[in-house]
Amino acid sequence: MVYLFIFLVSLIVFILLFINISPAFGSNPSKKQKERFSQLANYADGKFLNPKPTKLNMGAADYFSMLEENISGAKDRNPKGQIPVSEIDWNKVKSEKDSLTWFGHSAFLVSIDNKKILVDPMLGPVASPVSFVGSKRYSEDMLHLIDDMPPIDAVFITHDHYDHLDYPSIKKLKNKVNHFFVPLGVGAHLIDWGVKKVKITELNWWDESEFQGLTVAFTPSKHFSGRGPLNRNSTLWGGWVILGEKTRFYTSGDGGYDTHFKEIGKKYGPFDLTLIEGGQYDRRWSWVHMTPEQSVQAHLDVNGKNMMLIHWGAFTLAYHGWTEPIERALKASEKSGVSMITPKIGETVLLDESIPTSSWWTKLNK
Protein backbone atom coordinates (compact mmCIF):
# COMPACT_ATOMS: atom_id res chain seq x y z
CA MET A 1 0.00 0.00 0.00
CA VAL A 2 2.87 2.35 0.83
CA TYR A 3 4.51 1.70 -2.56
CA LEU A 4 1.18 2.20 -4.34
CA PHE A 5 0.67 5.51 -2.53
CA ILE A 6 4.18 6.67 -3.45
CA PHE A 7 3.58 5.66 -7.07
CA LEU A 8 0.29 7.55 -7.29
CA VAL A 9 1.76 10.68 -5.68
CA SER A 10 4.76 10.53 -8.03
CA LEU A 11 2.46 10.12 -11.03
CA ILE A 12 0.36 13.13 -10.03
CA VAL A 13 3.50 15.24 -9.47
CA PHE A 14 4.87 14.17 -12.87
CA ILE A 15 1.62 15.07 -14.63
CA LEU A 16 1.45 18.49 -12.97
CA LEU A 17 5.10 19.18 -13.81
CA PHE A 18 4.53 18.10 -17.42
CA ILE A 19 1.51 20.41 -17.73
CA ASN A 20 3.54 23.33 -16.38
CA ILE A 21 6.51 22.62 -18.66
CA SER A 22 4.82 21.63 -21.91
CA PRO A 23 4.02 24.72 -24.03
CA ALA A 24 1.02 23.04 -25.73
CA PHE A 25 -1.07 23.48 -22.56
CA GLY A 26 -0.75 27.24 -22.94
CA SER A 27 -1.07 29.72 -20.12
CA ASN A 28 -3.75 31.18 -17.85
CA PRO A 29 -5.24 34.66 -17.61
CA SER A 30 -3.29 36.95 -15.31
CA LYS A 31 -4.47 38.04 -11.88
CA LYS A 32 -5.19 41.49 -13.31
CA GLN A 33 -7.32 39.97 -16.07
CA LYS A 34 -9.25 37.84 -13.60
CA GLU A 35 -10.01 40.92 -11.53
CA ARG A 36 -11.37 42.62 -14.64
CA PHE A 37 -13.39 39.53 -15.60
CA SER A 38 -14.94 39.44 -12.13
CA GLN A 39 -16.92 42.58 -13.04
CA LEU A 40 -18.66 40.77 -15.91
CA ALA A 41 -22.14 39.22 -15.75
CA ASN A 42 -20.92 35.97 -17.37
CA TYR A 43 -18.08 35.37 -14.87
CA ALA A 44 -18.15 34.23 -11.25
CA ASP A 45 -15.78 32.53 -8.80
CA GLY A 46 -12.93 32.51 -11.30
CA LYS A 47 -14.90 30.89 -14.12
CA PHE A 48 -16.92 31.95 -17.14
CA LEU A 49 -20.59 30.94 -17.17
CA ASN A 50 -22.96 29.82 -19.90
CA PRO A 51 -25.95 32.01 -20.87
CA LYS A 52 -28.10 29.55 -18.92
CA PRO A 53 -26.88 27.33 -16.05
CA THR A 54 -25.39 24.04 -17.28
CA LYS A 55 -23.93 20.99 -15.64
CA LEU A 56 -22.40 17.81 -16.99
CA ASN A 57 -24.63 15.29 -15.22
CA MET A 58 -22.83 12.05 -16.00
CA GLY A 59 -23.11 9.15 -13.58
CA ALA A 60 -20.95 6.04 -13.20
CA ALA A 61 -23.13 4.16 -15.70
CA ASP A 62 -22.42 6.81 -18.34
CA TYR A 63 -18.66 6.57 -17.87
CA PHE A 64 -18.77 2.78 -18.00
CA SER A 65 -20.83 2.87 -21.20
CA MET A 66 -18.30 5.25 -22.78
CA LEU A 67 -15.45 2.95 -21.78
CA GLU A 68 -17.30 -0.02 -23.23
CA GLU A 69 -17.91 1.78 -26.54
CA ASN A 70 -14.26 2.80 -26.68
CA ILE A 71 -13.12 -0.79 -26.23
CA SER A 72 -15.69 -2.45 -28.46
CA GLY A 73 -15.33 0.18 -31.18
CA ALA A 74 -18.59 1.60 -32.46
CA LYS A 75 -19.28 0.84 -36.12
CA ASP A 76 -17.67 3.18 -38.67
CA ARG A 77 -16.39 5.68 -36.11
CA ASN A 78 -13.40 6.20 -38.40
CA PRO A 79 -12.98 6.17 -42.18
CA LYS A 80 -11.69 2.91 -43.66
CA GLY A 81 -8.67 4.70 -45.04
CA GLN A 82 -7.07 8.12 -45.08
CA ILE A 83 -9.33 10.87 -46.41
CA PRO A 84 -7.81 12.54 -49.50
CA VAL A 85 -7.41 16.32 -49.51
CA SER A 86 -8.29 18.13 -52.73
CA GLU A 87 -5.41 20.00 -54.32
CA ILE A 88 -5.95 23.55 -53.18
CA ASP A 89 -6.46 26.13 -55.91
CA TRP A 90 -4.32 28.88 -54.42
CA ASN A 91 -5.05 31.21 -57.33
CA LYS A 92 -8.74 31.04 -56.45
CA VAL A 93 -7.94 31.52 -52.75
CA LYS A 94 -5.77 34.56 -53.48
CA SER A 95 -8.30 36.19 -55.82
CA GLU A 96 -10.39 39.17 -54.74
CA LYS A 97 -13.62 37.15 -54.80
CA ASP A 98 -15.32 36.03 -51.58
CA SER A 99 -14.54 32.36 -51.04
CA LEU A 100 -14.30 29.55 -48.53
CA THR A 101 -11.83 26.65 -48.21
CA TRP A 102 -12.49 23.86 -45.71
CA PHE A 103 -9.64 21.99 -43.99
CA GLY A 104 -11.91 19.57 -42.14
CA HIS A 105 -13.53 19.81 -38.69
CA SER A 106 -13.97 23.54 -37.88
CA ALA A 107 -10.94 24.94 -39.73
CA PHE A 108 -11.57 27.31 -42.65
CA LEU A 109 -9.83 29.87 -44.78
CA VAL A 110 -12.41 32.52 -45.71
CA SER A 111 -11.95 35.47 -48.05
CA ILE A 112 -14.36 38.36 -47.44
CA ASP A 113 -13.78 41.72 -49.17
CA ASN A 114 -10.36 40.35 -50.13
CA LYS A 115 -9.46 39.92 -46.46
CA LYS A 116 -7.95 36.47 -45.87
CA ILE A 117 -9.36 35.05 -42.63
CA LEU A 118 -8.58 31.79 -40.85
CA VAL A 119 -11.19 30.35 -38.49
CA ASP A 120 -10.03 27.85 -35.83
CA PRO A 121 -6.93 26.84 -37.85
CA MET A 122 -6.37 23.43 -36.31
CA LEU A 123 -4.08 21.94 -38.99
CA GLY A 124 -1.96 19.65 -36.80
CA PRO A 125 -2.01 15.84 -36.87
CA VAL A 126 -3.65 15.14 -33.50
CA ALA A 127 -6.27 16.89 -31.33
CA SER A 128 -4.23 16.62 -28.16
CA PRO A 129 -1.39 18.32 -26.27
CA VAL A 130 0.81 15.26 -26.95
CA SER A 131 1.38 13.31 -30.17
CA PHE A 132 0.91 9.82 -28.69
CA VAL A 133 -2.57 10.35 -27.17
CA GLY A 134 -5.72 11.75 -28.73
CA SER A 135 -7.74 11.58 -31.91
CA LYS A 136 -5.58 11.55 -35.05
CA ARG A 137 -6.53 13.44 -38.20
CA TYR A 138 -8.31 11.42 -40.89
CA SER A 139 -6.28 13.05 -43.64
CA GLU A 140 -2.62 13.86 -44.06
CA ASP A 141 -0.90 16.33 -41.73
CA MET A 142 -1.96 19.76 -43.04
CA LEU A 143 0.60 22.01 -41.35
CA HIS A 144 2.58 22.28 -44.59
CA LEU A 145 -0.34 24.15 -46.20
CA ILE A 146 0.54 27.19 -44.10
CA ASP A 147 3.66 27.70 -46.23
CA ASP A 148 1.54 28.14 -49.37
CA MET A 149 -1.11 30.39 -47.84
CA PRO A 150 -1.24 34.07 -48.72
CA PRO A 151 -0.59 36.54 -45.88
CA ILE A 152 -3.42 36.14 -43.37
CA ASP A 153 -5.21 39.31 -42.36
CA ALA A 154 -6.88 37.78 -39.29
CA VAL A 155 -7.29 34.57 -37.33
CA PHE A 156 -10.51 34.02 -35.39
CA ILE A 157 -10.53 31.50 -32.51
CA THR A 158 -13.84 30.29 -31.03
CA HIS A 159 -12.41 28.68 -27.88
CA ASP A 160 -9.27 27.04 -26.53
CA HIS A 161 -9.99 23.31 -26.89
CA TYR A 162 -7.31 21.33 -28.71
CA ASP A 163 -9.43 20.62 -31.77
CA HIS A 164 -9.84 24.39 -32.33
CA LEU A 165 -6.73 26.06 -30.90
CA ASP A 166 -3.68 24.11 -32.03
CA TYR A 167 -0.22 24.91 -30.68
CA PRO A 168 1.79 23.70 -33.74
CA SER A 169 -0.52 25.61 -36.11
CA ILE A 170 -0.25 28.89 -34.17
CA LYS A 171 3.54 28.58 -33.89
CA LYS A 172 3.80 28.15 -37.65
CA LEU A 173 1.23 30.85 -38.41
CA LYS A 174 2.14 33.59 -35.95
CA ASN A 175 4.49 35.55 -38.23
CA LYS A 176 2.11 35.26 -41.19
CA VAL A 177 -0.91 36.75 -39.43
CA ASN A 178 -1.71 40.44 -39.06
CA HIS A 179 -4.17 40.09 -36.16
CA PHE A 180 -5.83 37.55 -33.88
CA PHE A 181 -9.43 37.83 -32.59
CA VAL A 182 -10.07 35.60 -29.58
CA PRO A 183 -12.47 35.17 -26.65
CA LEU A 184 -11.62 36.72 -23.29
CA GLY A 185 -8.62 35.02 -21.68
CA VAL A 186 -7.47 33.09 -24.77
CA GLY A 187 -4.85 35.74 -25.55
CA ALA A 188 -2.74 34.33 -22.68
CA HIS A 189 -2.17 31.14 -24.69
CA LEU A 190 -1.10 33.08 -27.77
CA ILE A 191 1.26 35.36 -25.86
CA ASP A 192 2.83 32.29 -24.25
CA TRP A 193 3.44 30.94 -27.78
CA GLY A 194 5.16 34.07 -29.02
CA VAL A 195 2.32 36.15 -30.50
CA LYS A 196 2.76 39.84 -29.73
CA LYS A 197 0.10 41.27 -27.41
CA VAL A 198 -0.51 44.21 -29.77
CA LYS A 199 -1.69 41.72 -32.43
CA ILE A 200 -4.44 40.27 -30.20
CA THR A 201 -7.98 41.52 -29.61
CA GLU A 202 -10.03 39.79 -26.91
CA LEU A 203 -13.81 40.13 -26.94
CA ASN A 204 -16.70 39.27 -24.64
CA TRP A 205 -20.11 38.13 -25.90
CA TRP A 206 -21.82 40.81 -27.97
CA ASP A 207 -18.65 42.91 -28.23
CA GLU A 208 -18.05 44.39 -31.69
CA SER A 209 -14.93 45.58 -33.49
CA GLU A 210 -14.08 47.08 -36.87
CA PHE A 211 -11.28 45.44 -38.83
CA GLN A 212 -10.13 46.74 -42.21
CA GLY A 213 -13.67 47.61 -43.24
CA LEU A 214 -15.25 44.47 -41.78
CA THR A 215 -17.59 44.44 -38.79
CA VAL A 216 -16.80 41.56 -36.43
CA ALA A 217 -18.71 40.50 -33.34
CA PHE A 218 -18.29 37.74 -30.78
CA THR A 219 -21.50 35.89 -29.94
CA PRO A 220 -22.60 33.50 -27.16
CA SER A 221 -22.58 29.72 -27.25
CA LYS A 222 -23.41 27.05 -24.66
CA HIS A 223 -20.13 25.21 -24.15
CA PHE A 224 -17.02 25.22 -21.92
CA SER A 225 -13.25 25.75 -22.15
CA GLY A 226 -9.92 24.59 -20.76
CA ARG A 227 -6.68 22.94 -21.85
CA GLY A 228 -5.80 21.22 -18.58
CA PRO A 229 -7.43 19.68 -15.50
CA LEU A 230 -7.05 22.84 -13.41
CA ASN A 231 -8.20 25.64 -15.73
CA ARG A 232 -11.67 24.64 -16.90
CA ASN A 233 -13.78 27.66 -17.94
CA SER A 234 -10.95 30.08 -17.21
CA THR A 235 -11.35 31.44 -20.75
CA LEU A 236 -14.48 32.28 -22.74
CA TRP A 237 -16.07 30.44 -25.72
CA GLY A 238 -18.46 31.49 -28.48
CA GLY A 239 -19.08 32.11 -32.18
CA TRP A 240 -18.14 34.83 -34.66
CA VAL A 241 -20.07 37.18 -36.92
CA ILE A 242 -18.12 38.74 -39.81
CA LEU A 243 -19.96 41.25 -41.98
CA GLY A 244 -18.54 42.35 -45.33
CA GLU A 245 -19.90 44.31 -48.27
CA LYS A 246 -21.26 41.23 -50.07
CA THR A 247 -21.07 38.41 -47.54
CA ARG A 248 -22.65 38.23 -44.09
CA PHE A 249 -20.88 35.31 -42.37
CA TYR A 250 -21.53 33.46 -39.09
CA THR A 251 -19.82 30.52 -37.45
CA SER A 252 -21.31 29.03 -34.30
CA GLY A 253 -18.22 27.67 -32.61
CA ASP A 254 -18.98 24.66 -30.40
CA GLY A 255 -22.03 24.41 -28.18
CA GLY A 256 -25.48 23.05 -27.51
CA TYR A 257 -28.75 24.34 -28.89
CA ASP A 258 -30.57 27.15 -27.07
CA THR A 259 -32.32 30.49 -27.49
CA HIS A 260 -29.10 32.44 -28.12
CA PHE A 261 -29.31 31.55 -31.83
CA LYS A 262 -32.54 33.51 -32.22
CA GLU A 263 -30.92 36.44 -30.41
CA ILE A 264 -27.97 36.32 -32.82
CA GLY A 265 -30.32 36.17 -35.81
CA LYS A 266 -32.34 39.11 -34.53
CA LYS A 267 -29.25 41.27 -33.94
CA TYR A 268 -27.05 40.34 -36.93
CA GLY A 269 -29.07 38.28 -39.43
CA PRO A 270 -29.69 37.51 -42.16
CA PHE A 271 -26.50 35.62 -43.07
CA ASP A 272 -25.40 34.55 -46.54
CA LEU A 273 -23.43 31.65 -45.07
CA THR A 274 -23.51 29.91 -41.70
CA LEU A 275 -21.03 27.33 -40.43
CA ILE A 276 -22.86 25.39 -37.73
CA GLU A 277 -21.32 22.69 -35.55
CA GLY A 278 -23.12 19.37 -35.30
CA GLY A 279 -20.60 16.56 -35.63
CA GLN A 280 -19.63 15.33 -32.14
CA TYR A 281 -22.89 14.81 -30.26
CA ASP A 282 -23.93 12.31 -27.61
CA ARG A 283 -26.92 11.84 -25.29
CA ARG A 284 -24.51 11.89 -22.34
CA TRP A 285 -23.39 15.46 -23.09
CA SER A 286 -26.44 16.82 -24.90
CA TRP A 287 -25.89 20.42 -23.73
CA VAL A 288 -22.27 20.54 -24.99
CA HIS A 289 -22.84 19.81 -28.71
CA MET A 290 -25.82 19.90 -31.06
CA THR A 291 -27.31 17.02 -32.97
CA PRO A 292 -27.44 17.58 -36.77
CA GLU A 293 -31.16 18.30 -36.56
CA GLN A 294 -30.55 20.97 -33.94
CA SER A 295 -27.81 22.43 -36.14
CA VAL A 296 -30.27 22.90 -38.99
CA GLN A 297 -32.69 24.57 -36.58
CA ALA A 298 -29.90 26.86 -35.34
CA HIS A 299 -29.27 27.90 -38.95
CA LEU A 300 -32.95 28.76 -39.31
CA ASP A 301 -32.89 30.65 -35.99
CA VAL A 302 -30.02 32.92 -37.08
CA ASN A 303 -31.77 33.52 -40.42
CA GLY A 304 -29.18 31.92 -42.68
CA LYS A 305 -29.31 31.36 -46.43
CA ASN A 306 -26.64 28.72 -47.13
CA MET A 307 -25.50 26.38 -44.36
CA MET A 308 -22.45 24.18 -43.94
CA LEU A 309 -22.20 21.56 -41.19
CA ILE A 310 -18.86 21.71 -39.38
CA HIS A 311 -17.07 19.86 -36.56
CA TRP A 312 -16.84 16.63 -38.57
CA GLY A 313 -14.62 15.13 -41.26
CA ALA A 314 -11.27 15.24 -39.42
CA PHE A 315 -11.34 13.72 -35.92
CA THR A 316 -13.27 11.10 -33.96
CA LEU A 317 -14.38 12.69 -30.69
CA ALA A 318 -17.78 11.05 -30.20
CA TYR A 319 -19.27 7.56 -30.49
CA HIS A 320 -21.36 7.72 -33.67
CA GLY A 321 -20.32 6.86 -37.23
CA TRP A 322 -18.03 9.46 -38.78
CA THR A 323 -20.43 10.23 -41.67
CA GLU A 324 -23.62 10.08 -39.59
CA PRO A 325 -23.60 13.84 -38.82
CA ILE A 326 -23.64 14.99 -42.46
CA GLU A 327 -26.15 12.32 -43.51
CA ARG A 328 -28.56 13.31 -40.74
CA ALA A 329 -28.02 17.01 -41.42
CA LEU A 330 -28.80 16.57 -45.12
CA LYS A 331 -32.06 14.78 -44.31
CA ALA A 332 -33.03 17.50 -41.85
CA SER A 333 -32.11 20.26 -44.32
CA GLU A 334 -34.22 18.71 -47.08
CA LYS A 335 -37.14 18.43 -44.69
CA SER A 336 -36.79 22.08 -43.62
CA GLY A 337 -35.95 23.50 -47.05
CA VAL A 338 -32.45 24.56 -46.00
CA SER A 339 -29.70 24.98 -48.61
CA MET A 340 -26.82 22.78 -47.38
CA ILE A 341 -23.39 22.97 -49.02
CA THR A 342 -20.92 20.05 -48.79
CA PRO A 343 -17.54 20.97 -50.29
CA LYS A 344 -14.67 18.49 -50.22
CA ILE A 345 -11.80 18.99 -47.82
CA GLY A 346 -9.37 21.35 -49.53
CA GLU A 347 -11.92 22.54 -52.10
CA THR A 348 -12.30 26.30 -52.54
CA VAL A 349 -15.81 27.53 -53.35
CA LEU A 350 -16.70 31.03 -54.54
CA LEU A 351 -19.49 32.50 -52.45
CA ASP A 352 -20.99 34.61 -55.24
CA GLU A 353 -21.62 31.56 -57.43
CA SER A 354 -23.86 28.53 -57.17
CA ILE A 355 -21.99 26.23 -54.79
CA PRO A 356 -21.90 22.61 -55.97
CA THR A 357 -22.76 19.84 -53.54
CA SER A 358 -21.57 16.25 -53.52
CA SER A 359 -21.69 13.16 -51.35
CA TRP A 360 -17.92 12.68 -51.54
CA TRP A 361 -17.77 10.73 -48.26
CA THR A 362 -19.93 7.89 -49.61
CA LYS A 363 -17.13 6.81 -51.97
CA LEU A 364 -14.72 6.48 -49.05
CA ASN A 365 -16.87 4.03 -47.09
CA LYS A 366 -17.11 1.44 -49.90
Side-chain angles (χ1 to χ4, degrees):
M1 288 295 294
V2 173
Y3 289 116
L4 178 61
F5 176 76
I6 293 173
F7 171 77
L8 291 174
V9 170
S10 300
L11 180 62
I12 292 171
V13 170
F14 172 79
I15 292 172
L16 292 175
L17 285 173
F18 179 73
I19 290 173
N20 284 325
I21 294 172
S22 176
F25 287 94
S27 189
N28 293 311
S30 66
K31 183 179 179 181
K32 187 175 181 180
Q33 283 179 301
K34 291 177 182 178
E35 290 175 354
R36 180 162 54 87
F37 296 161
S38 66
Q39 306 301 312
L40 303 174
N42 57 341
Y43 189 88
D45 300 323
K47 297 181 183 296
F48 284 98
L49 309 172
N50 273 306
K52 294 181 180 179
T54 53
K55 189 176 182 180
L56 189 59
N57 291 318
M58 287 178 57
D62 294 316
Y63 285 105
F64 277 118
S65 66
M66 287 170 59
L67 180 62
E68 183 182 10
E69 288 182 43
N70 248 328
I71 296 172
S72 62
K75 185 179 179 182
D76 298 326
R77 284 186 70 202
N78 298 287
K80 292 181 180 178
Q82 191 177 79
I83 290 182
V85 176
S86 299
E87 185 175 352
I88 296 177
D89 186 342
W90 290 113
N91 289 327
K92 188 182 286 188
V93 171
K94 294 174 184 179
S95 76
E96 294 185 5
K97 293 186 176 182
D98 289 5
S99 67
L100 176 143
T101 307
W102 186 37
F103 301 119
H105 206 62
S106 301
F108 291 84
L109 175 56
V110 184
S111 182
I112 300 178
D113 295 354
N114 202 27
K115 306 300 183 295
K116 310 307 177 185
I117 296 167
L118 275 171
V119 179
D120 284 352
M122 197 302 176
L123 302 175
V126 59
S128 168
V130 292
S131 61
F132 52 87
V133 176
S135 179
K136 291 182 169 51
R137 183 178 290 278
Y138 297 159
S139 66
E140 63 185 31
D141 184 347
M142 304 180 83
L143 285 169
H144 67 279
L145 295 176
I146 295 172
D147 296 327
D148 298 320
M149 289 180 183
I152 302 301
D153 293 290
V155 165
F156 286 78
I157 303 296
T158 62
H159 62 298
D160 70 1
H161 285 160
Y162 292 99
D163 56 321
H164 295 261
L165 179 60
D166 180 50
Y167 168 68
S169 298
I170 298 299
K171 289 290 286 185
K172 196 171 178 65
L173 274 166
K174 65 178 182 178
N175 294 324
K176 200 165 192 169
V177 177
N178 179 37
H179 207 78
F180 291 82
F181 287 89
V182 302
L184 291 177
V186 173
H189 298 311
L190 303 186
I191 293 170
D192 194 52
W193 299 339
V195 178
K196 295 179 180 178
K197 187 176 181 180
V198 70
K199 294 174 65 173
I200 302 170
T201 295
E202 291 190 356
L203 298 181
N204 193 9
W205 292 334
W206 305 118
D207 284 349
E208 294 184 6
S209 181
E210 292 295 320
F211 177 73
Q212 297 185 9
L214 301 174
T215 297
V216 303
F218 191 54
T219 54
S221 71
K222 191 169 68 174
H223 199 56
F224 68 105
S225 68
R227 294 177 73 84
L230 302 179
N231 64 357
R232 182 160 174 166
N233 295 346
S234 61
T235 65
L236 192 54
W237 52 90
W240 288 102
V241 167
I242 305 174
L243 306 179
E245 290 184 7
K246 296 180 180 179
T247 301
R248 301 178 67 87
F249 172 91
Y250 168 69
T251 183
S252 66
D254 282 2
Y257 180 77
D258 216 315
T259 56
H260 59 277
F261 289 112
K262 288 186 178 180
E263 295 175 36
I264 294 166
K266 185 176 181 180
K267 187 173 179 64
Y268 294 112
F271 296 103
D272 299 291
L273 179 64
T274 71
L275 310 181
I276 309 291
E277 77 97 8
Q280 307 294 337
Y281 45 87
D282 192 285
R283 59 175 175 78
R284 290 162 293 207
W285 57 77
S286 59
W287 67 268
V288 176
H289 291 293
M290 289 184 283
T291 64
E293 294 78 14
Q294 290 174 322
S295 302
V296 171
Q297 184 59 54
H299 167 82
L300 293 170
D301 288 353
V302 300
N303 196 8
K305 180 181 177 182
N306 295 304
M307 172 186 169
M308 183 170 176
L309 187 76
I310 62 173
H311 214 232
W312 77 284
F315 303 103
T316 296
L317 304 174
Y319 297 90
H320 48 70
W322 78 276
T323 64
E324 182 185 298
I326 187 61
E327 290 165 355
R328 284 176 58 175
L330 281 171
K331 288 181 181 178
S333 66
E334 290 172 7
K335 192 173 181 180
S336 301
V338 168
S339 173
M340 179 82 68
I341 67 171
T342 57
K344 300 175 184 176
I345 295 175
E347 180 181 6
T348 299
V349 295
L350 298 178
L351 301 182
D352 61 353
E353 297 180 1
S354 177
I355 302 173
T357 59
S358 67
S359 299
W360 55 266
W361 56 90
T362 59
K363 300 174 183 177
L364 302 177
N365 273 350
K366 290 182 180 179

